[in-house]
Amino acid sequence: MTTPWLEDARALQSKTVAFRRDIHQHPELGLDLPRTTAAVRSALQGLDVDIVQGTSNSGLIVTLKGDPAGATILLRGDMDALPMDEDTDVPFKSRTPGAMHACGHDAHTAMLVSAVHLMHAHRDRLAGTVKFMFQPGEEGDFGARHMIEDGLLDLAPAPTAAFAIHISPNIPSGVIASKPGAFMAAPDQIAISIKGQGGHASTPHLARDPIPVAAEMVMALQALVARRIDAFDPVVLTIAKIEAGTTHNVIPESAHMLGTLRSFSERSRAKAHEGIRRIVTKIAEAHEMEGTVEITAGYPVTVNNAAFVERVKGVTTALLGEKGYRDMPSPVMGAEDWSYVLQRLPGCMVFLGVAPTDVKPAHAHSCHSNRMVMDEDAMAHGVALHAAIAEQYLASAR
């Protein structure tokens, strides 16, 4: 039933690649993506679809109506880029200083645009309605949550399942990988401040130096992870920035640290929060200083519905063969605001391998690298999988 989709997707490959390269050259950041949104609208012009834009951002819901008695499935492609300069030699590299599609959202959007065309051309294969979610602001701006708050997921006919694809340069090209349960982590931001007393570097006993205290805190935080958090319910805690001082012979009055906490359960997340606060305040107090912590909660854990993962596994192997799907042994510590959608609807996210053919996947530049490149041929697998999942789900839900 699903096999013809791949041949049809390959027939659209030149258009998929052209669209991806166009928006790759013109990346936009955050929730307001006027050029990217206009490109999506232009690419869908002439198709018999409904397009609705949210009131708070550039998010679009595109609806391909099918049998009104059938179910509705939601498919997603995120559209925003990252605030970084591109350092590749591809001829279509970013023309926008300080912005790059380093996480593959250009490919996600291109695959979803082609999936609309593919399913529009073969509407007779669909036993219900397909909604396509073109989402801004995934990179830390809570775009999915904003679209939900705008009511876009509640528009009739409301979806009853959801599916999304994220590319990965560290998986062999064209291979789909996923797992049930926790799939990606909850990311929290940590800001730590230590207030001491400044002075001359030659007389540290007359000052209260926050720098060695900051170093002590970093080591204690690593011990917290290793010794106070269950190894079978893990967290990752990274202090990524330490800032203090102005010159070589002045003890600064304060030090500041920024970091991130990644977790897969509310239990370990809460325990780590409590431990971070305790370590910072008590170590500072032990050195007669003041330590404060601000923890900003990020996206929830991305949790895949087990039954839907099994559905995807079956569809993928029928579409791509037995080697076309891999079971992931563990979740990844990256984060996704697709988690908000999966809190509301049964569904899942999968990774699509896009490793360049001239390097081993483990050695490829990963997402968020300014050198990340991908094998564009793999996008045909993503386009076909969107269509195959929609077809199979709508048929089974009758």
Side-chain angles (χ1 to χ4, degrees):
M1 179 177 67
T2 58
T3 304
W5 290 118
L6 186 56
E7 181 180 345
D8 297 336
R10 285 173 173 155
L12 290 170
Q13 178 68 358
S14 62
K15 292 182 178 180
T16 308
V17 169
F19 188 90
R20 182 248 166 176
R21 292 184 177 187
D22 174 65
I23 62 173
H24 186 93
Q25 290 183 87
H26 304 281
E28 295 178 299
L29 307 176
L31 295 166
D32 186 23
L33 315 175
R35 189 192 184 282
T36 307
T37 303
V40 171
R41 287 181 177 274
S42 177
L44 301 180
Q45 195 169 12
L47 299 185
D48 184 18
V49 294
D50 296 331
I51 303 178
V52 178
Q53 184 166 337
T55 57
S56 68
N57 58 78
S58 291
L60 300 176
I61 294 290
V62 176
T63 302
L64 175 59
K65 294 181 179 178
D67 183 352
T72 300
I73 187 170
L74 179 74
L75 309 175
R76 187 203 75 166
D78 39 0
M79 303 185 291
D80 57 319
L82 282 160
M84 57 195 295
D85 290 318
E86 181 166 358
D87 191 15
T88 72
D89 58 2
V90 297
F92 51 90
K93 68 186 298 182
S94 172
R95 298 180 183 178
T96 305
M100 176 192 176
H101 272 293
C103 198
H105 297 186
D106 52 343
H108 302 168
T109 305
M111 290 189 295
L112 201 62
V113 165
S114 286
V116 179
H117 280 271
L118 182 56
M119 283 181 262
H120 185 273
H122 299 286
R123 283 171 286 179
D124 57 309
R125 300 185 194 177
L126 304 173
T129 296
V130 184
K131 293 198 170 191
F132 306 86
M133 180 181 179
F134 290 91
Q135 182 208 311
E138 191 282 322
E139 295 292 352
D141 289 292
F142 296 83
R145 191 182 71 187
H146 286 298
M147 291 186 72
I148 292 170
E149 291 171 349
D150 281 353
L152 293 181
L153 269 64
D154 298 319
L155 297 174
T160 50
F163 177 70
I165 297 174
H166 199 299
I167 62 101
S168 172
N170 304 116
I171 296 174
S173 183
V175 173
I176 300 297
S178 194
K179 68 174 296 295
F183 181 72
M184 299 185 79
D188 299 329
Q189 296 181 34
I190 306 163
I192 298 170
S193 293
I194 307 157
K195 186 177 180 180
Q197 180 179 321
H200 199 287
S202 66
T203 54
H205 60 288
L206 299 178
R208 286 178 174 76
D209 188 350
I211 292 179
V213 175
E216 186 176 336
M217 287 179 184
V218 171
M219 298 307 296
L221 290 171
Q222 299 310 308
L224 168 72
V225 171
R227 289 293 178 264
R228 300 298 300 156
I229 305 296
D230 186 345
F232 295 99
D233 186 12
V235 303
V236 167
L237 198 167
T238 298
I239 298 299
K241 181 180 180 181
I242 301 178
E243 186 175 60
T246 57
T247 188
H248 73 285
N249 62 348
V250 174
I251 291 173
E253 182 176 277
S254 60
H256 306 278
M257 299 189 286
L258 294 176
T260 181
L261 173 74
R262 307 289 170 129
S263 57
F264 292 122
S265 79
E266 287 303 319
R267 177 177 175 273
S268 280
R269 190 182 196 181
K271 189 167 186 177
H273 285 195
E274 189 275 332
I276 293 166
R277 292 190 175 96
R278 182 178 65 251
I279 284 170
V280 170
T281 56
K282 297 302 182 182
I283 288 179
E285 183 181 336
H287 294 277
E288 300 180 274
M289 300 185 203
E290 180 183 349
T292 58
V293 184
E294 182 178 345
I295 300 176
T296 303
Y299 304 151
V301 179
T302 302
V303 180
N304 282 341
N305 177 273
F308 207 93
V309 171
E310 280 301 306
R311 179 192 303 277
V312 170
K313 184 175 182 178
V315 171
T316 302
T317 54
L319 184 74
L320 304 176
E322 291 296 325
K323 294 183 178 180
Y325 182 90
R326 289 186 178 182
D327 291 307
M328 291 170 53
S330 59
V332 298
M333 283 290 181
E336 250 288 348
D337 73 348
W338 182 242
S339 55
Y340 289 106
V341 176
L342 294 183
Q343 286 182 332
R344 292 170 55 101
L345 298 169
C348 76
M349 172 175 276
V350 303
F351 287 122
L352 166 63
V354 294
T357 56
D358 59 342
V359 297
K360 293 182 178 180
H363 298 156
H365 293 290
S366 63
C367 287
H368 288 228
S369 166
N370 61 337
R371 299 179 184 271
M372 194 276 279
V373 295
M374 59 174 281
D375 178 17
E376 293 176 314
D377 287 346
M379 291 194 294
H381 287 199
V383 174
L385 186 59
H386 274 309
I389 291 296
E391 177 193 26
Q392 196 274 350
Y393 172 75
L394 295 176
S396 68
R398 297 194 71 159

